[in-house]
Amino acid sequence: MAFVKDMLRMWAHSWKRFISIAMITLLGVAVLTGIYAGCRDAFRSTDRFFDAQGLHDVQVLSTAGLSNGDIAALRKVNGVAKVQAERSQEVTFDLDGRKSATMQEIGTNGIDQPYLQEGRMPKKAGEIAVTRKFIRDSGKHIGSRLTVTPESASSDTSDTSDTNGADGTNETNGTDEAPSFPTKLTIVGVVLDPQNLSNPDGYSAMTSFRSTATTDYTFFAPSDGVTGTLCTSATLLVKGAAAESTFDESYENTVKQVTDRIDGTVKTDRQKARRQELLDAGNRKIADARAEADKKFADAQSQIDANRQQFNQQVDQIVSMQAGAAAAGAAANGANAGAAAAAGATTPQLDETTRETMRETIIAASPELTQAKQQLDQAQSQLNEQKASTEQTLKTKENELKTSIPQVRWYVQDRQSLGGFSALKSDLDSIQSLGNAFPIVFLLVAVMMSLTAMARMVEEDRSLIGTYVGLGYGRLAVASRYLLFALLACLIGGGLGLIAGFLGIPAFLLVVLQGMYVMPGLRLEYDWLYGSLGIALFVVGVLAATIYACVQEMRQTPASLLRPKAPRAGSRILLERIRPVWNRIGFLGKVTARNIFRFKSRLIMTVGGVAGCTALIVCGLAINDTVADLGIKQYRDIYQYDLMVVSDDSDASAMRTKVASDGRVTSSLDVRIESGDLAISGSGDGDSGKAGSSGSESIQLVAVPEKHLSDLGEMVTLQPVSSGILGTSGVGKTGSLKLDDDGVIVAQSAASALGVKAGSKVRLTNGDGVQATAKVSAVNRNLIGSDVYVSETYYAKLFDSKDAKNTKNSKSSEDSEALTWNAMLAKLSGSDTSQTDYAESLEEDSSVMKAVSCAHMADSFKFDLMGAVVALIVALAGGLALVVLFTLANTNVSERVREMATLKVLGFFDREVHHYVNREMMILTVMGVILGLPLGRLVGGMLTMALNMPSLYFEVEVKPLSYVIAAVATMAFALLVQLFVNPVLDRIDPISSLKSVE
């Protein structure tokens, strides 16, 4: 019992050390669990929401729409649980200018169901549900009415909609019509689109650089009132996918198995079948037109023939009359009257030549008959010409049909293609990466401080330990006094850390997240396993340090422990050998210098602890500075052009004419831009779809005309890079990189994520889904987005068919066509504001699909979530610095109580004693700051490179102000600690402190 009481008394006396260890553990556990828990809570709530609303696992789009046969084929794919055919239509309306929206049919199979926030779901034709973004922008409310106008080109399948609706077996002869929605609408509800969780009422504009929306708003309408059987897309749910977390790799693998099956035979077969359907429909239209024309021509010919027959009958009557009259006259001049009577009784028989001669004579003698014959001949001639012209037109249509109907392309996409989903996932992944890295630094500092505190605690009880060991107590029992002390401090600190880690920090992060995303059903959850492991990690670290401190003392005999520890032998320091400097230092300065460098362990612990805390602060500020400069570096430095305009292939010429006619462009470069994919090419020959891959990245494939390869450097800064530990150490000279026909230039953001470098082989997928293995000629400096530049010649070499490489005449007409330059990079005159306004005005033009102003992107780029996390990390690092300095200061004082008492006996005033002690701590703090600043730059560089967010590369940037802030903050913490240490120095009693320890 006495042993226990003495142990408790010892614990109470060492309450400052207890608080220090508990606080360090609290901060470490909070950092370890807090960021993880916040991201996990967001992941889980979002996953539950997606499952509840039936967010599709796979979406299939087609350039020619999807027929019933396509939907039936998708239902037969192994692993598909549900298939939902969807119809949509793009419309426009007037809302402070022309705005566009997508009329989306609410699915009836439980997939992609909008989440009701206000009002009710639409049920009847003309009723719609809108998003909160539309309500905010328009000022309308539930019950408001709206009139929309269908886009003239809203359906890409309008020219090919007259196809049969069969499933490929020609069981039906119906036609597929493009979807059409009611135009007079009434708002009955406000909903959240599960495909886009962006918060329209939030403060973040960060999604501007990752937005994939082609229209301004989405309106949801019921099936009632929607006409047209042609589907614009098909959404699928995969068996077993709902049981997996949508953000885990297991989910991606489950979905990938189904997408691979669709990309295999199903996609290829249905693309061919769908195009054949369109060809058959076109041929049927031509056949119907030919049949209808033949019927009309036959009717016209029948009419002409009837009129000609009537005309001929009239002429024949006149011929007969004239022939009869001639015969009667000849008989009158005959021999007898009987012969005359006989001749008058019969019509004379004329041969065909004579009859035809008489017809021509009669027609020529009669103007009326001449005119009638001319009209009949003219009608026949016109009819013949019309027949020949129609037949020629139909034959031309037949010949043009194959070239006028392009190859049908399917696009099989998973949730990663949804801008809202990928943005949320990348944001949370980046924060989780930081949450996995920073606790390591906190753990190292905790172990160092625990070793310092416990080593001093054990040393103070040196004689008591010797007494207990001499009385027969086991060394384990004696060590348990300190082990239980450290364990209890860790458990209490860890418990408080779990509260902060699973409640406080997640609540803060989720408030920031909810400012950018809408996440219904969000709740805080506790993870027993992760929380327990978090505490256990720090318990093991602190107990290991305590055991080491105990072993160092208890290895001695009781007799040695009962005697005071011999003072450390004096020795010269390096500064003493520099006589000119040493001789000019005062007495107290020399004492301070000796105290600093004589006690090596205290020097290492103090400088190391302060350096670690300073490095954490610099690291946090480095991330903040790096993110803050991303937009400016990308859109001001790397992109030299001011405007990028993209159009559909069919509108490319009209787009260029429009931009040229505006007179704002000073120089431009026509390019082709396609959305594609970049993957690491595995071993083998790199056949499409067969090469192995350990990762892929969505890219923007930019093809440059062969004659203008040198002009690319005027629009984009071409600067070769190679990965370095500090991010930008491998940047080459500007302009030293050229695009040629030997390979592609890959953006640094994509290359860093995939581990690609110059000379690597990659698998490229172009906008048509065609894959090819390409050589990387260089990696170009690029921070936002993943651009891959390729020359016109190399593009044709990559994506031509294999047969075309061996047989020149084997190219189809489609393959042999030159590339369509569907985009323009341009430099503009005028201010940034005018350039932004011009880009917005271009988007109103029907020939422009997208217009992006670099000035606007540079100004609007934000990353609020990262800023909030950086603020959290800096605050925690500051708290750790405060605890570290407090622990070291108290340890320093406890080690030198007799020294401080001696100073007081010698006549030092309290203020002089404060100055004597605090000066050493301030010098050690300055040394720690000097070491911590470059260390923070190094750690910051490694952390930002480790983030590897999609389409982003963090080029480390630390502004001078950040170094100043980190140094000033650490020094301020040191001054704050002095306010706690000075009263301790004042309470030192010289008499009791100088009593002999023996």
Side-chain angles (χ1 to χ4, degrees):
M1 179 60 72
F3 182 82
V4 174
K5 287 183 178 180
D6 183 62
M7 180 177 65
L8 295 177
R9 189 181 300 112
M10 182 266 294
W11 287 5
H13 179 71
S14 303
W15 63 273
K16 293 179 182 178
R17 294 191 182 96
F18 188 91
I19 292 177
S20 297
I21 296 175
M23 286 298 298
I24 291 175
T25 306
L26 185 155
L27 291 173
V29 172
V31 172
L32 179 65
T33 60
I35 297 178
Y36 158 82
C39 295
R40 186 211 53 181
D41 292 341
F43 279 139
R44 288 188 176 181
S45 64
T46 306
D47 182 60
R48 289 193 299 267
F49 176 73
F50 287 160
D51 291 341
Q53 303 309 124
L55 181 65
H56 67 261
D57 298 313
V58 180
Q59 184 181 42
V60 179
L61 303 172
S62 173
T63 56
L66 298 172
S67 65
N68 294 334
D70 296 329
I71 303 300
L74 289 172
R75 287 196 176 100
K76 297 177 182 178
V77 176
N78 183 26
V80 173
K82 285 184 180 180
V83 178
Q84 178 174 283
E86 296 187 346
R87 296 178 292 180
S88 63
Q89 182 184 31
E90 291 188 9
V91 297
T92 59
F93 55 92
D94 185 21
L95 179 64
D96 296 330
R98 181 176 178 269
K99 296 292 184 180
S100 62
T102 299
M103 295 288 296
Q104 181 68 47
E105 179 186 18
I106 300 175
T108 58
N109 207 16
I111 303 178
D112 288 346
Q113 298 297 297
Y115 176 78
L116 183 64
Q117 294 178 303
E118 292 182 29
R120 63 176 178 85
M121 296 298 292
K123 298 179 180 178
K124 299 184 298 183
E127 294 181 343
I128 60 169
V130 299
T131 60
R132 191 171 296 280
K133 177 185 177 183
F134 176 78
I135 295 293
R136 184 200 63 182
D137 294 347
S138 65
K140 296 184 180 295
H141 51 82
I142 294 177
S144 298
R145 298 183 182 275
L146 180 69
T147 301
V148 298
T149 303
E151 282 275 17
S152 58
S154 62
S155 175
D156 294 334
T157 61
S158 58
D159 294 335
T160 59
S161 61
D162 294 327
T163 63
N164 63 17
D167 58 2
T169 58
N170 296 324
E171 294 177 355
T172 65
N173 294 318
T175 58
D176 290 330
E177 297 179 356
S180 178
F181 287 71
T183 57
K184 297 186 180 299
L185 309 174
T186 302
I187 301 174
V188 298
V190 179
V191 296
L192 173 65
D193 185 357
Q195 298 186 31
N196 184 7
L197 301 184
S198 298
N199 185 359
D201 300 320
Y203 50 81
S204 176
M206 59 164 294
T207 54
S208 61
F209 72 99
R210 289 182 285 192
S211 177
T212 56
T214 56
T215 56
D216 299 311
Y217 308 100
T218 301
F219 298 158
F220 297 90
S223 300
D224 186 21
V226 182
T227 61
T229 58
L230 193 65
C231 302
T232 51
S233 65
T235 51
L236 291 72
L237 292 182
V238 175
K239 293 179 181 178
E244 307 289 345
S245 173
T246 185
F247 300 99
D248 289 347
E249 187 177 353
S250 57
Y251 166 82
E252 296 178 1
N253 293 335
T254 302
V255 174
K256 189 176 185 299
Q257 293 176 1
V258 175
T259 57
D260 288 345
R261 294 188 189 112
I262 297 175
D263 280 330
T265 57
V266 176
K267 175 180 177 180
T268 304
D269 292 345
R270 289 310 306 170
Q271 285 179 162
K272 294 179 179 178
R274 180 59 179 153
R275 186 168 188 267
Q276 189 59 49
E277 289 176 3
L278 300 179
L279 290 173
D280 292 343
N283 287 325
R284 283 199 302 273
K285 290 176 66 176
I286 294 174
D288 292 342
R290 178 178 278 109
E292 183 179 356
D294 290 345
K295 184 177 181 301
K296 290 181 178 180
F297 292 147
D299 292 342
Q301 187 64 56
S302 298
Q303 183 65 38
I304 293 174
D305 292 343
N307 293 337
R308 188 175 295 279
Q309 183 179 5
Q310 183 180 1
F311 175 80
N312 290 335
Q313 289 176 354
Q314 293 178 358
V315 174
D316 287 343
Q317 288 178 1
I318 297 174
V319 169
S320 298
M321 290 173 60
Q322 289 183 354
N333 297 324
N336 54 63
T346 60
T347 303
Q349 297 296 322
L350 303 176
D351 59 85
E352 189 61 30
T353 303
T354 304
R355 184 178 291 275
E356 186 61 32
T357 303
M358 293 182 66
R359 286 196 188 106
E360 294 177 356
T361 303
I362 292 171
I363 293 172
S366 172
E368 292 82 0
L369 292 177
T370 300
Q371 182 179 3
K373 185 177 184 301
Q374 290 176 348
Q375 289 177 347
L376 287 172
D377 293 341
Q378 184 178 2
Q380 185 65 54
S381 176
Q382 291 177 348
L383 179 61
N384 292 338
E385 290 178 0
Q386 290 179 1
K387 290 174 67 175
S389 175
T390 302
E391 184 62 26
Q392 181 62 35
T393 300
L394 293 176
K395 286 183 178 180
T396 302
K397 290 290 185 182
E398 287 178 338
N399 295 332
E400 293 178 349
L401 182 60
K402 288 188 177 182
T403 57
S404 63
I405 297 180
Q407 296 290 339
V408 176
R409 298 294 184 189
W410 270 26
Y411 298 95
V412 183
Q413 303 173 336
D414 56 18
R415 291 182 180 178
Q416 295 290 343
S417 63
L418 300 176
F421 175 87
S422 59
L424 174 62
K425 184 176 186 300
S426 63
D427 290 341
L428 294 178
D429 284 343
S430 65
I431 303 309
Q432 203 165 35
S433 298
L434 295 178
N436 294 335
F438 274 94
I440 297 175
V441 181
F442 278 77
L443 178 62
L444 293 176
V445 174
V447 171
M448 290 175 59
M449 294 304 102
S450 300
L451 180 61
T452 301
M454 296 310 298
R456 179 56 194 164
M457 185 177 180
V458 173
E459 186 177 338
E460 286 180 353
D461 290 345
R462 174 185 174 88
S463 59
L464 186 60
I465 292 173
T467 301
Y468 278 125
V469 174
L471 292 174
Y473 287 90
R475 283 180 166 80
L476 180 61
V478 177
S480 65
R481 293 158 48 95
Y482 310 101
L483 294 175
L484 291 176
F485 176 86
L487 177 63
L488 184 61
C490 284
L491 292 178
I492 293 177
L496 296 175
L498 291 180
I499 295 176
F502 284 98
L503 294 177
I505 294 178
F508 168 76
L509 290 178
L510 295 178
V511 167
V512 179
L513 279 171
Q514 287 178 317
M516 297 184 294
Y517 302 101
V518 179
M519 293 179 284
L522 186 62
R523 63 174 182 262
L524 302 178
E525 300 180 25
Y526 180 72
D527 188 333
W528 286 98
L529 178 61
Y530 195 85
S532 301
L533 291 177
I535 294 181
L537 183 63
F538 279 84
V539 166
V540 170
V542 173
L543 287 183
T546 305
I547 291 173
Y548 177 79
C550 292
V551 169
Q552 289 297 105
E553 290 293 333
M554 293 184 184
R555 66 173 56 178
Q556 303 179 44
T557 62
S560 299
L561 291 173
L562 286 171
R563 289 194 297 269
K565 190 175 183 179
R568 186 179 299 273
S571 61
R572 287 178 177 271
I573 62 174
L574 179 62
L575 190 60
E576 292 186 48
R577 304 181 186 281
I578 307 176
R579 305 305 299 179
V581 177
W582 182 257
N583 292 335
R584 287 172 173 76
I585 299 177
F587 172 74
L588 292 180
K590 293 178 179 178
V591 173
T592 300
R594 287 196 179 102
N595 287 337
I596 289 175
F597 293 103
R598 278 178 58 202
F599 301 97
K600 302 292 191 303
S601 60
R602 188 176 68 193
L603 171 66
I604 294 173
M605 292 297 179
T606 305
V607 174
V610 173
C613 298
T614 304
L616 283 177
I617 297 175
V618 173
C619 182
L621 296 175
I623 297 174
N624 184 69
D625 292 343
T626 299
V627 172
D629 284 349
L630 278 180
I632 296 176
K633 288 182 178 180
Q634 180 68 36
Y635 298 109
R636 300 285 189 188
D637 299 339
I638 298 176
Y639 286 165
Q640 296 297 311
Y641 61 84
D642 301 314
L643 177 71
M644 180 178 72
V645 189
V646 184
S647 72
D648 190 59
D649 285 0
S650 59
D651 297 325
S653 178
M655 176 269 292
R656 287 193 292 270
T657 302
K658 163 65 179 172
V659 175
S661 64
D662 291 337
R664 295 290 306 275
V665 175
T666 58
S667 62
S668 65
L669 174 64
D670 293 336
V671 296
R672 177 168 184 80
I673 293 181
E674 300 176 354
S675 296
D677 189 78
L678 177 72
I680 301 174
S681 179
S683 59
D685 59 3
D687 281 358
S688 2
K690 294 183 180 179
S693 173
S694 60
S696 63
E697 190 84 6
S698 297
I699 61 166
Q700 181 171 269
L701 187 61
V702 182
V704 182
E706 197 67 27
K707 296 181 180 179
H708 300 283
L709 294 180
S710 60
D711 296 338
L712 178 62
E714 298 179 3
M715 295 295 171
V716 179
T717 300
L718 298 178
Q719 197 171 6
V721 295
S722 57
S723 298
I725 195 171
L726 298 182
T728 58
S729 59
V731 178
K733 294 183 179 180
T734 301
S736 60
L737 185 58
K738 302 292 183 182
L739 180 63
D740 52 34
D741 300 332
D742 295 331
V744 298
I745 297 178
V746 179
Q748 184 180 13
S749 48
S752 174
L754 298 176
V756 172
K757 59 184 179 180
S760 299
K761 295 288 186 179
V762 295
R763 192 176 73 245
L764 272 180
T765 304
N766 69 355
D768 292 330
V770 181
Q771 296 181 344
T773 299
K775 176 187 175 183
V776 177
S777 61
V779 176
N780 184 50
R781 179 173 176 251
N782 196 86
L783 308 180
I784 302 175
S786 297
D787 298 331
V788 174
Y789 300 101
V790 58
S791 68
E792 180 182 5
T793 301
Y794 197 57
Y795 181 98
K797 178 181 177 182
L798 288 175
F799 299 112
D800 277 350
S801 64
K802 290 185 177 180
D803 293 338
K805 297 177 183 178
N806 300 323
T807 307
K808 295 182 179 180
N809 297 328
S810 65
K811 281 189 178 182
S812 65
S813 59
E814 291 84 3
D815 291 334
S816 61
E817 291 179 355
L819 289 176
T820 300
W821 308 112
N822 66 340
M824 173 188 292
L825 309 179
K827 294 184 179 181
L828 303 178
S829 59
S831 63
D832 290 351
T833 303
S834 66
Q835 292 177 9
T836 301
D837 294 340
Y838 179 59
E840 293 177 353
S841 67
L842 278 179
E843 289 198 327
E844 303 296 330
D845 191 271
S846 59
S847 64
V848 175
M849 182 185 300
K850 190 71 175 177
V852 179
S853 168
C854 287
H856 173 69
M857 296 299 291
D859 294 338
S860 63
F861 181 88
K862 294 181 181 179
F863 213 158
D864 297 303
L865 180 58
M866 186 66 77
V869 174
V870 166
L872 175 65
I873 291 174
V874 171
L876 292 173
L880 181 64
L882 186 61
V883 174
V884 166
L885 290 170
F886 178 78
T887 302
L888 293 172
N890 277 282
T891 302
N892 182 38
V893 172
S894 65
E895 288 178 340
R896 303 168 64 185
V897 171
R898 293 173 62 84
E899 182 182 351
M900 299 303 105
T902 302
L903 293 177
K904 288 189 175 186
V905 170
L906 292 176
F908 279 65
F909 293 104
D910 288 343
R911 182 177 298 177
E912 293 174 325
V913 174
H914 298 168
H915 181 69
Y916 178 82
V917 175
N918 293 332
R919 179 167 55 180
E920 294 180 17
M921 284 302 301
M922 292 302 295
I923 292 175
L924 290 173
T925 301
V926 170
M927 294 171 64
V929 169
I930 294 174
L931 179 62
L933 293 179
L935 180 63
R937 173 64 173 78
L938 176 64
V939 175
M942 292 187 292
L943 283 178
T944 52
M945 289 179 63
L947 289 178
N948 274 342
M949 290 179 62
S951 301
L952 283 178
Y953 179 82
F954 291 91
E955 189 177 74
V956 184
E957 176 75 20
V958 185
K959 298 180 179 178
L961 181 60
S962 296
Y963 289 117
V964 174
I965 292 175
V968 170
T970 305
M971 298 304 296
F973 291 140
L975 293 175
L976 181 61
V977 167
Q978 292 181 11
L979 300 179
F980 296 101
V981 174
N982 289 340
V984 177
L985 295 175
D986 294 340
R987 289 194 295 268
I988 293 178
D989 182 16
I991 298 177
S992 60
S993 299
L994 291 174
K995 287 181 179 179
S996 174
V997 293
E998 298 183 8

